């Protein structure tokens, strides 16, 4: 596997474009299983997780092809295999979300218990209980969920926690159910609203997207259609941290600042200048950031996926910051790596106390998951010397050409094969 060599000390400057959202695109692709017609998705990021989803859909019998660099067409009309293979589902949790659409459309599906980034226990009980409420006969045996039904029937569903994945999954199952499904305490993430808009464009009846109650009135069939994937708020946030941590001046174009309010607010609180102009965000910074407090929460709260990136930034802050992680039980595994670079982070329970240091130092480090990898790149950009970063397979899952994007802004990063 390759490693990255990241030279510290360059100030990031220039213009970068946000790509399409990984998490939105994955949900749309799982939703495309419902369509009896060709679906065209534009602005799809060319990343590892999307490649896995393409393989999964093709394995089910859909015909998926790249029409150009960022456009995927999916024809799910000929799906004939209703079993998702373990090798693909273990790689990526989002692949579990084909279970509901397969079940809703064909009355049967078998999907293994999912894997994904190692950021703590990630059960699928809300997904499973919700599908059962819709009438699925669902059981797990030898690590595989088997589900069947004659026809899903709309039902009231209350989520104990506003899970993004469960909201998306149950919405896709409910669109072909008979009758009305109301999902309460559902997630309001932009990726959930994007999925609802996509399903509506295919003929679904969904109301309340972006609020905590979704109402889905089942229809007989969904047809084909087209959709542009929303910009990746987490990639844009990563570029913003890169700019802030290097005292740079970067304009991020084709972003959705309205979907990044908590991130922008916390950057400003830390003393970073953020100017919003339509779909561009200019991030510039001088001197050390201020120490701040962050608590992750479901949208519109501060996103857990930006937590690790802010930790990197706050390692260089003037003062002591506290980050409290309320979404995942153990999303602090990256802390050892930042500390190896001279960071001073202590974790107790769900909180990390970060005492800022004037300068991080280079060290060999390993990405423990996707966002941890991005955080380590940002830390390395601000460190004294050259950092060697391993574990790139995590970063490749979710960032398209992160090296090209950062080097385009003046960073010194190269990718090298790592000897076995
Ligand atoms: N949860 C349960 N039971 C469930 C489902 C979720 O207990 O059945 C818990 C989870 O364990 C977690 C919390 O609920 O503690 C929230 O999980 P959620 O279901 O919202 O997360 P997800 O849908 O699995 C998506 C993103 C994640 C992002 C979270 C939170 C995708 C493919 N993944 O995961 O993205 O962290 O929402 O916003 O959409 C990333 O991009 O790096 C990433 C991990």
């Amino acid at each position: 596997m390759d490693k990255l060599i990241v030279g510290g000390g360059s100030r990031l400057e220039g213009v970068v474009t946000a790509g399409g959202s990984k998490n939105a695109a994955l949900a749309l692709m799982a939703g495309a299983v419902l369509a009896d017609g060709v679906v065209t998705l534009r602005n799809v990021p060319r990343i590892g997780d999307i490649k896995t989803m393409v393989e999964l859909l093709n394995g089910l019998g859909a015909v998926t092809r790249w029409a150009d660099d960022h456009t995927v067409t999916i024809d799910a009309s000929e799906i004939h295999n209703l079993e998702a293979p373990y090798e693909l589902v273990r790689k990526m949790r989002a692949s579990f979300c084909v279970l509901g659409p397969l079940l809703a459309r064909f009355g049967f599906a078998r999907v293994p218990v999912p894997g994904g980034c190692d950021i703590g226990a990630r059960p699928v009980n809300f997904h499973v209980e919700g599908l059962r409420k819709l009438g699925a006969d669902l059981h797990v045996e030898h690590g595989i969920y088997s589900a069947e039904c004659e026809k899903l029937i709309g039902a009231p569903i209350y989520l104990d926690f506003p899970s993004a994945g469960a909201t998306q999954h149950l919405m896709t199952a409910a669109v072909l159910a008979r009758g009305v499904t109301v999902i309460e305490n559902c997630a309001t993430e932009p990726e959930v609203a994007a999925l609802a808009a996509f399903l509506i464009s295919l003929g679904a009846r969904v109301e309340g997207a972006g609020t905590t109650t979704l109402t889905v009135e089942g229809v007989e069939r969904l047809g084909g259609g087209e959709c542009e994937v929303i910009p990746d708020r987490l990639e844009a946030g990563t570029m913003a941290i890169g700019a802030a941590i290097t005292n740079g001046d970067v304009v991020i174009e084709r972003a959705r600042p309205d979907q990044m309010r908590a991130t922008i607010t916390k950057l400003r609180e830390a003393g970073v200048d953020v100017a919003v102009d339509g779909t561009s965000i200019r991030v510039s910074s001088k001197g050390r950031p201020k120490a701040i407090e962050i608590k992750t929460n479901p949208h519109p709260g501060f996103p857990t996926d930006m937590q690790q990136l802010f930790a990197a930034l706050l390692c260089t802050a003037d003062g002591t910051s506290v980050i409290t992680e309320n979404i995942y039980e153990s999303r602090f595994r990256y802390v050892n790596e930042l500390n190896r670079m001279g960071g001073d982070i202590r974790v107790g329970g769900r909180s990390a106390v970060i005492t800022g240091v004037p300068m991080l130092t280079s060290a060999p480090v390993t990405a423990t998951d996707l966002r941890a990898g991005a955080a380590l790149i940002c830390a390395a950009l601000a460190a004294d010397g050259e950092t060697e970063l391993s574990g790139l397979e995590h970063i490749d899952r979710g960032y398209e050409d992160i090296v090209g994007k950062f080097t385009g802004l003046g960073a010194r990063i190269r990718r090298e094969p790592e000897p076995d």
Side-chain angles (χ1 to χ4, degrees), residues 22-23 26 93-94 119 121-127 161-166 168 189 234 304-305 327-328 331 370-371:
K22 163 179 88 77
N23 292 342
L26 289 171
R93 182 176 162 91
I119 48 182
R122 295 178 76 186
V124 287
N125 54 320
F126 302 152
H127 303 239
F161 186 88
S163 151
Q168 290 168 322
E189 265 75 359
L234 305 169
T304 172
D305 299 321
I327 306 294
Y328 293 111
R331 209 176 195 180
L370 169 60
R371 305 298 167 194

Side-chain angles (χ1 to χ4, degrees), residues 299-349:
H299 190 80
F302 184 88
T304 172
D305 299 321
M306 287 302 299
Q307 181 259 101
Q308 292 137 303
L309 285 140
F310 269 73
L313 176 68
L314 296 174
C315 274
T316 66
D318 187 7
T320 301
S321 305
V322 181
I323 295 183
T324 305
E325 171 58 56
N326 291 316
I327 306 294
Y328 293 111
E329 58 170 17
S330 61
R331 209 176 195 180
F332 284 128
R333 290 191 182 144
Y334 64 97
V335 156
N336 289 342
E337 301 305 290
L338 282 178
N339 284 350
R340 200 194 290 275
M341 297 180 71
D344 180 354
I345 311 180
R346 273 166 302 133
V347 176

Side-chain angles (χ1 to χ4, degrees), residues 2-6 117-119 234-235 238-239 241-242 245 304-313 331-338 341 363-382 387-399 402-403 406 413 415:
D2 295 355
K3 63 184 174 185
L4 286 188
I5 312 294
V6 185
C117 268
D118 184 10
I119 48 182
L234 305 169
E235 190 202 30
T238 302
M239 296 295 143
I241 295 290
I245 204 168
T304 172
D305 299 321
M306 287 302 299
Q307 181 259 101
Q308 292 137 303
L309 285 140
F310 269 73
L313 176 68
R331 209 176 195 180
F332 284 128
R333 290 191 182 144
Y334 64 97
V335 156
N336 289 342
E337 301 305 290
L338 282 178
M341 297 180 71
V365 286
T366 304
T368 49
D369 67 78
L370 169 60
R371 305 298 167 194
L376 289 170
I377 295 179
C378 290
L381 289 173
T387 295
E388 275 188 29
L389 173 62
S390 313
L392 299 195
E393 64 279 12
H394 295 295
I395 300 174
D396 292 341
R397 286 185 52 184
Y399 287 93
I402 195 166
V403 172
F406 274 135
I413 309 184
R415 199 169 171 127

